[in-house]
Amino acid sequence: MSGLPLLVLLIFVMAIVIALLRKRAATAALPEVWPLSGVRPLSNIEQVLFHRLAEALPDHVILAQVQLSRFLKVNRGVRQPQRWFNRINQKSIDYLICDRAFTIIAGIELDDASHRARHRLQADEQKNAALKAAAIRLVRWQASSLPNGPQIRHQLGIQVAGLDGLPSDQR
């Protein structure tokens, strides 16, 4: 009977040694030079909309490609908070419009043909539900018909002194 506890202890020690060796091997396996390179954070069409937003909303802060977990939180007292966090984790919004105090005015999604794919439709539904739950307005624009400055301000309900009230060719 005394051999069984010794065998269990030996197996436990071996499992720890194997786990430590695997961790060490995984860390040592990283090359000195990482195989990474920089890319532009916004596509060409996203850059066009960003500049339109910046021009149309000069007194606002426009943030691009913001992770939902940076501006949404799971309410206290919720059962299984990690489950709810996982629903927003690794999802981002194309643009977040804030006032100068970083109070959120609206989120903007730029939808292109890829948003018709089944997995994107599900991700969009989750994003819609998350922002609705947090009482954050979400505006979706089609990449094929981007709004101009006056349309941006109108759809967001923002008036900009010196820009609104002018003929459309002078805005």
Side-chain angles (χ1 to χ4, degrees):
M1 199 69 161
S2 65
L4 185 59
L6 185 59
L7 181 60
V8 171
L9 179 62
L10 182 61
I11 291 172
F12 180 71
V13 170
M14 286 177 48
I16 290 174
V17 169
I18 289 171
L20 290 173
L21 288 174
R22 283 186 178 170
K23 183 177 179 181
R24 185 176 181 190
T27 304
L30 290 176
E32 286 184 31
V33 178
W34 289 22
L36 303 173
S37 57
V39 295
R40 290 183 177 174
L42 299 178
S43 69
N44 289 340
I45 193 71
E46 288 170 333
Q47 291 175 47
V48 169
L49 182 55
F50 178 86
H51 291 295
R52 287 188 188 183
L53 289 167
E55 187 176 324
L57 307 170
D59 294 331
H60 291 76
V61 177
I62 295 102
L63 303 172
Q65 298 300 327
V66 182
Q67 295 292 318
L68 297 186
S69 61
R70 292 294 297 160
F71 65 95
L72 296 178
K73 67 178 180 127
V74 178
N75 295 333
R76 288 181 169 222
V78 171
R79 287 180 44 122
Q80 300 177 322
Q82 189 64 44
R83 177 176 166 234
W84 291 102
F85 179 78
N86 289 344
R87 289 184 176 205
I88 63 167
N89 193 26
Q90 297 184 359
K91 286 184 176 60
S92 63
I93 191 160
D94 291 328
Y95 307 95
L96 194 62
I97 309 301
C98 302
D99 64 17
R100 292 275 184 195
F102 285 87
T103 300
I104 298 171
I105 305 296
I108 297 175
E109 278 291 290
L110 182 58
D111 293 342
D112 58 15
S114 72
H115 285 257
R116 290 190 285 269
R118 185 172 162 196
H119 74 281
R120 289 298 296 269
L121 289 171
Q122 290 173 341
D124 285 347
E125 286 175 15
Q126 287 183 342
K127 206 177 293 186
N128 293 347
L131 293 172
K132 182 178 180 180
I136 296 174
R137 182 173 177 207
L138 178 62
V139 177
R140 289 187 173 275
W141 287 322
Q142 295 300 312
S144 59
S145 59
L146 294 180
N148 61 26
Q151 292 168 330
I152 290 169
R153 289 189 297 276
H154 175 74
Q155 289 183 28
L156 295 178
I158 297 172
Q159 291 188 340
V160 177
L163 293 178
D164 293 307
L166 294 175
S168 60
D169 61 343
Q170 296 179 12
R171 293 181 201 172

